[in-house]
Amino acid sequence: MLSSPVLRCRAASVRMLFSCSSHLCPNPNPSLHRTMKAATEASRTPHLSLFSNPMVPNSNSSSQAFPQSITLSKCFSVTPASPVVASEDSEVQSRDSLVVVSFYKFADFHDHADLRKPLKALCEELRVSGGIILAPEGINGSICGTRESVERVLEFVQTDDRLKGLRQIESPVSPEEEAIHHGHSNSSPLAAGEDAPFRWDHVRVKLKKEIVSLGMPTVSPTERVGKYVSPRDWNALISDPDVVVIDVRNDYETRIGRFKGAVDPYTTAFQEFPSWVEDQFQLAEPDGQHSQVEANDSNGSPKKQAEVQGEKMPPRVAMYCTGGIRCEKASSFLLSKGFKEVYHLEGGILKYLEEVPETESLWEGECFVFDKRVSVDHGLAQGTFKLCYGCKKPVSDADMEAPEWEYGVSCPYCYSSKSNEEKERARARQRQFETWGIIGGPDKGRGPTVKKDDSERCENQLSNSV
């Protein structure tokens, strides 16, 4: 058991790792503009870099230098008023800029497990964080890192001919998100925890049965899929009164934003979508006969068959989701059930919000994303929603005023579904972060022994920092 001074020392050391240097940011919880100022100053003094990246060479490193010029995407491009010669400092900042890229590809990938170890090793070497799923049906992921590092990972993935032509969506990274990526933020109980998607030293590469879980192995987007509709043509399609627009996302996503007039299935998981379709529409049966399955209404009496079957199969269906991957499977499923014209938004909501101006947009609200941004708005700007760490679902400022809200524990949407034991575990987790700056305490991932000299040195560091 480590002595109390050593624990205090370890805690102080951990906090020092997740905060900027005292001579750069005297305030332990600097504001965003101070963080930006510190980062700018640090970029001019490489050995004091706030967001240091060992992959970036300096005078004391023998690492191979990055290319002197790179191509920036639209979300990072600027048009100067007059020609400007880029300085060495600006080139270093460009190379250090972070990007988030979501990608997927359906393919016949039966040997997917062979890619896991080399892909994870490359991400860790390049300090690329995020999550990647490998399955017999393809690959699905969202990663964050410097532009060159992310591009190297994507190039490595596409060395397999089956995975060439990844569908990609790139999003900008704000200074606060960049701080989270490097573990320099105290704004989230998971900022330094193992679940933080923007930490440079954490990437998950998982093996699963599906890259997006529908639970129907017979549905294969590699065999057939709906017609892609570009974001620029989407408004005209969904404005047609003969087109039924369906939101393929789950209820916690649809409640913070959706397209005007879209049908919300109110599913809690994507696996519920096929059942909703079968209940909602009169699907064609193989023998030409309708199913005779009956159901009961709220009073327990049998419903009429017409009510169970729901509406007739619409002639045209348009679907959308966050990034497009769920629509691939959903459209394949509808086609297998006899739907004739099935369309889906290419690139999903994210691509629409990036390309379509707000003045022309038919989108209402914000779009939930599965990372620290929580939600994004037009232009993929940071949204206003926060995350409940009890259920990992979005909450608004109004939700956080409700009596069921407890930071790091519960919100109005999960309070009643959580047991007292689950809430106590969440409170303990939150206390760990508030005490040590990381989940699990200062010894997480370290050996239990500390030399006496190290203990005395840590005590001195602690007293000096206080």
Side-chain angles (χ1 to χ4, degrees):
M1 180 69 68
L2 294 175
S3 63
S4 178
V6 175
L7 288 176
R8 292 197 301 271
C9 152
R10 289 288 182 85
S13 300
V14 170
R15 292 192 184 98
M16 291 172 66
L17 288 174
F18 300 137
S19 60
C20 53
S21 303
S22 58
H23 63 283
L24 290 177
C25 298
N27 186 349
N29 293 301
S31 62
L32 183 58
H33 71 275
R34 286 195 175 189
T35 303
M36 286 293 294
K37 181 179 179 182
T40 304
E41 293 176 355
S43 67
R44 298 193 181 108
T45 312
H47 66 281
L48 295 177
S49 176
L50 176 61
F51 302 137
S52 60
N53 187 334
M55 298 302 296
V56 179
N58 55 42
S59 58
N60 298 324
S61 173
S62 61
S63 301
Q64 182 179 0
F66 287 140
Q68 294 301 308
S69 63
I70 58 178
T71 303
L72 299 181
S73 68
K74 291 185 293 183
C75 55
F76 285 93
S77 62
V78 294
T79 305
S82 58
V84 178
V85 178
S87 65
E88 183 177 350
D89 289 345
S90 64
E91 290 180 1
V92 172
Q93 289 177 343
S94 296
R95 292 196 297 267
D96 286 345
S97 296
L98 297 177
V99 292
V100 174
V101 176
S102 300
F103 59 93
Y104 72 89
K105 177 68 184 292
F106 284 96
D108 183 6
F109 199 33
H110 61 278
D111 54 346
H112 60 287
D114 296 341
L115 183 60
R116 182 181 182 275
K117 288 186 177 180
L119 181 56
K120 182 176 176 65
L122 180 63
C123 289
E124 291 176 343
E125 176 188 348
L126 299 177
R127 297 193 169 190
V128 170
S129 68
I132 302 173
I133 297 174
L134 302 173
E137 65 178 8
I139 186 171
N140 179 21
S142 182
I143 57 177
C144 176
T146 62
R147 181 175 300 281
E148 179 160 340
S149 297
V150 169
E151 288 178 352
R152 285 182 60 183
V153 171
L154 297 179
E155 288 173 1
F156 173 74
V157 169
Q158 295 180 95
T159 55
D160 189 312
D161 291 339
R162 295 168 296 180
L163 301 180
K164 284 184 177 179
L166 291 173
R167 293 191 174 274
Q168 304 176 31
I169 301 175
E170 181 181 307
S171 302
V173 176
S174 70
E176 176 60 17
E177 292 162 5
E178 188 160 326
I180 293 173
H181 173 87
H182 293 285
H184 285 274
S185 173
N186 294 329
S187 62
S188 162
L190 297 181
E194 62 180 7
D195 294 326
F198 289 105
R199 280 188 65 199
W200 68 262
D201 60 348
H202 190 82
V203 62
R204 289 177 172 176
V205 183
K206 294 184 176 182
L207 303 179
K208 291 191 174 183
K209 295 180 180 179
E210 301 175 85
I211 59 175
V212 56
S213 299
L214 184 64
M216 300 186 70
T218 57
V219 175
S220 176
T222 60
E223 297 179 3
R224 55 182 171 182
V225 72
K227 299 177 182 178
Y228 297 100
V229 180
S230 69
R232 290 289 179 178
D233 297 330
W234 181 251
N235 286 356
L237 175 65
I238 66 175
S239 298
D240 186 333
D242 293 330
V243 174
V244 175
V245 184
I246 302 176
D247 194 321
V248 188
R249 302 172 303 154
N250 297 320
D251 55 359
Y252 61 89
E253 301 170 84
T254 59
R255 76 165 180 251
I256 73 171
R258 63 183 188 179
F259 282 105
K260 293 180 180 178
V263 176
D264 186 355
Y266 293 101
T267 56
T268 59
F270 188 40
Q271 294 92 327
E272 299 175 6
F273 180 74
S275 297
W276 176 83
V277 171
E278 292 176 354
D279 291 341
Q280 185 73 20
F281 303 107
Q282 295 180 14
L283 302 181
E285 295 294 332
D287 57 359
Q289 300 296 323
H290 292 302
S291 172
Q292 296 301 314
V293 176
E294 292 187 349
N296 295 332
D297 60 19
S298 58
N299 297 324
S301 58
K303 288 183 179 181
K304 293 181 179 179
Q305 184 62 32
E307 295 175 346
V308 177
Q309 292 172 342
E311 302 174 3
K312 291 183 178 181
M313 188 179 298
R316 306 172 75 196
V317 173
M319 298 183 297
Y320 66 89
C321 55
T322 306
I325 186 170
R326 273 180 278 191
C327 286
E328 300 263 7
K329 276 199 168 180
S331 65
S332 183
F333 170 75
L334 291 189
L335 290 172
S336 71
K337 291 297 181 179
F339 286 77
K340 301 303 181 182
E341 291 189 48
V342 181
Y343 304 86
H344 51 109
L345 177 58
E346 187 173 15
I349 304 165
L350 295 180
K351 202 66 178 177
Y352 182 91
L353 294 179
E354 178 187 0
E355 294 187 359
V356 178
E358 186 172 2
T359 54
E360 303 174 13
S361 175
L362 296 181
W363 176 260
E364 297 176 329
E366 298 178 13
C367 177
F368 178 78
V369 290
F370 297 87
D371 55 48
K372 286 294 183 216
R373 294 171 296 173
V374 184
S375 66
V376 294
D377 209 333
H378 288 88
L380 300 182
Q382 178 73 43
T384 60
F385 285 82
K386 305 298 185 295
L387 199 67
C388 169
Y389 292 99
C391 61
K392 304 296 191 299
K393 295 177 182 179
V395 289
S396 64
D397 291 339
D399 293 329
M400 290 185 284
E401 296 294 329
E404 297 88 355
W405 167 258
E406 184 177 351
Y407 187 74
V409 178
S410 64
C411 70
Y413 303 102
C414 67
Y415 180 85
S416 59
S417 63
K418 286 188 170 295
S419 66
N420 291 332
E421 291 78 7
E422 289 175 319
K423 293 172 186 175
E424 282 302 319
R425 285 198 297 269
R427 293 185 184 105
R429 181 182 175 92
Q430 178 64 21
R431 287 194 296 269
Q432 286 178 350
F433 179 82
E434 292 175 352
T435 303
W436 304 113
I438 58 175
I439 303 301
D443 293 316
K444 182 178 179 64
R446 300 187 180 93
T449 59
V450 177
K451 295 180 180 179
K452 182 177 181 182
D453 293 342
D454 293 338
S455 175
E456 293 175 354
R457 182 166 59 254
C458 287
E459 289 181 358
N460 293 333
Q461 291 175 351
L462 177 61
S463 62
N464 292 334
S465 64
V466 173

